[in-house]
Amino acid sequence: MILFLAGTSDARALAIHLQSLGYSLIATVVTESAAESLQANDIPYQVGRLTVDDMAALIRKNEMTCVVDASHPYAEEASKTAMEAAKLCGIPYVRYERPKENFVSSLITEVESYEDAARLAQTHKGTIMLTTGSKTLEVFADYLLRDGIRLICRMLPNAGNMEKCDKLGIKQKDIIAIQGPFSESLNKSLCEQYDVTLMITKESGKVGSVDEKITAALELDIPVILIKRPKVQYENFCTSFEKVTQLLGGFTLEKSKHEL
């Protein structure tokens, strides 16, 4: 059995793919909404954040033989937890991550972290569209809620996010509560509606619709601050389903040899 870290649409697709090949798995997700899509596809799941000890206990209880981490490219802590739990239990860890998109434009400035992005945007005067979600909203609120900047926050429409915005002092008129995917035309319309003069986004890959966001901004001559993916030394790193199944097949074969 496989412990599978999910939470994105491509992770769900990989879980379905592995299940169709006969692999049994239990997926872990953080939110109930992510769990709903797994439930709809008859994939066993567990909801909630896990510590290393939690994850190791789950692995041992179910006699799992591998961890497949298909969590979001920016879920750095979840990946580190999974690697440590796999090491603790003496089983292989496989990282699947959606491929990156390459953009070349003088309007794009790449930065290494959320704080770097907020610090750079602080020098801007105008309307900033923030499309990085709610998890790091505090960082941007701290730097960008000030005179001369209107901060427009685009995020998922759930109660927790609205409460967080209220707590941070982000006004209702500056919140776009909406769930993707977003087309390029919708991204352009939102930029035009709010008279956006700077966009902050992250390198989420094609599945994360980052190309539609950036293309829309560039067509409107809006500069973009692009937050690069965290630098994590993953084991068994894959960017395709085929590579994941190839690695799993190798682990199964190796295990069979030891059992002979």
Side-chain angles (χ1 to χ4, degrees):
M1 177 175 282
I2 295 169
L3 177 61
F4 188 93
L5 275 69
T8 62
S9 58
D10 49 333
R12 182 180 65 248
L14 177 57
I16 293 169
H17 175 68
L18 294 179
Q19 203 160 251
S20 73
L21 294 176
Y23 289 102
S24 58
L25 55 90
I26 295 178
T28 68
V29 291
V30 176
T31 66
E32 289 292 345
S33 62
E36 287 173 7
S37 62
L38 296 172
Q39 188 176 32
N41 290 282
D42 296 324
I43 296 171
Y45 63 88
Q46 177 169 318
V47 181
R49 296 186 190 279
L50 300 178
T51 65
V52 173
D53 289 342
D54 293 336
M55 207 171 279
L58 186 62
I59 289 169
R60 289 172 178 138
K61 178 183 175 185
N62 293 281
E63 299 182 343
M64 293 169 165
T65 55
C66 184
V67 174
V68 174
D69 173 13
S71 60
H72 193 276
Y74 289 77
E76 185 177 358
E77 289 308 314
S79 293
K80 289 179 177 175
T81 299
M83 280 192 281
E84 196 171 339
K87 186 177 180 181
L88 192 64
C89 296
I91 62 173
Y93 166 94
V94 175
R95 171 61 171 167
Y96 167 77
E97 195 168 287
R98 61 182 68 156
K100 294 180 181 178
E101 296 287 296
N102 293 317
F103 301 96
V104 179
S105 170
S106 58
L107 289 172
I108 299 175
T109 303
E110 294 187 347
V111 296
E112 298 289 342
S113 69
Y114 294 99
E115 186 154 5
D116 287 349
R119 195 179 295 118
L120 180 61
Q122 193 178 23
T123 62
H124 185 78
K125 300 295 180 188
T127 302
I128 299 173
M129 172 83 81
L130 182 66
T131 67
T132 55
S134 64
K135 191 175 177 183
T136 56
L137 194 56
E138 296 92 338
V139 176
F140 295 99
D142 188 37
Y143 280 94
L144 303 179
L145 289 181
R146 58 189 61 217
D147 292 342
I149 295 176
R150 183 185 183 193
L151 182 64
I152 303 295
C153 303
R154 195 172 91 181
M155 61 187 63
L156 290 173
N158 62 54
N161 284 348
M162 298 307 102
E163 288 169 5
K164 190 171 189 177
C165 286
D166 185 53
K167 186 178 177 183
L168 291 172
I170 297 168
K171 299 172 183 174
Q172 288 185 25
K173 66 178 182 179
D174 294 335
I175 301 169
I176 302 174
I178 189 170
Q179 181 163 5
F182 308 98
S183 65
E184 183 185 322
S185 61
L186 177 56
N187 278 289
K188 285 180 74 173
S189 296
L190 289 172
C191 288
E192 290 171 333
Q193 175 71 27
Y194 287 88
D195 196 18
V196 172
T197 55
L198 176 68
M199 178 182 285
I200 301 175
T201 189
K202 53 189 179 182
E203 213 295 288
S204 300
K206 191 168 184 62
V207 178
S209 299
V210 71
D211 49 349
E212 283 85 355
K213 278 186 278 192
I214 291 183
T215 301
L218 297 182
E219 287 191 4
L220 296 171
D221 289 325
I222 297 171
V224 175
I225 296 176
L226 183 63
I227 303 165
K228 294 164 71 174
R229 294 185 183 184
K231 293 178 180 175
V232 178
Q233 292 297 316
Y234 294 112
E235 301 165 23
N236 299 313
F237 183 80
C238 311
T239 56
S240 70
F241 290 6
E242 291 74 19
K243 182 64 177 175
V244 173
T245 52
Q246 184 185 351
L247 282 171
L248 290 177
F251 296 146
T252 303
L253 182 61
E254 191 65 25
K255 186 171 184 294
S256 299
K257 285 179 182 175
H258 287 298
E259 290 174 349
L260 288 175

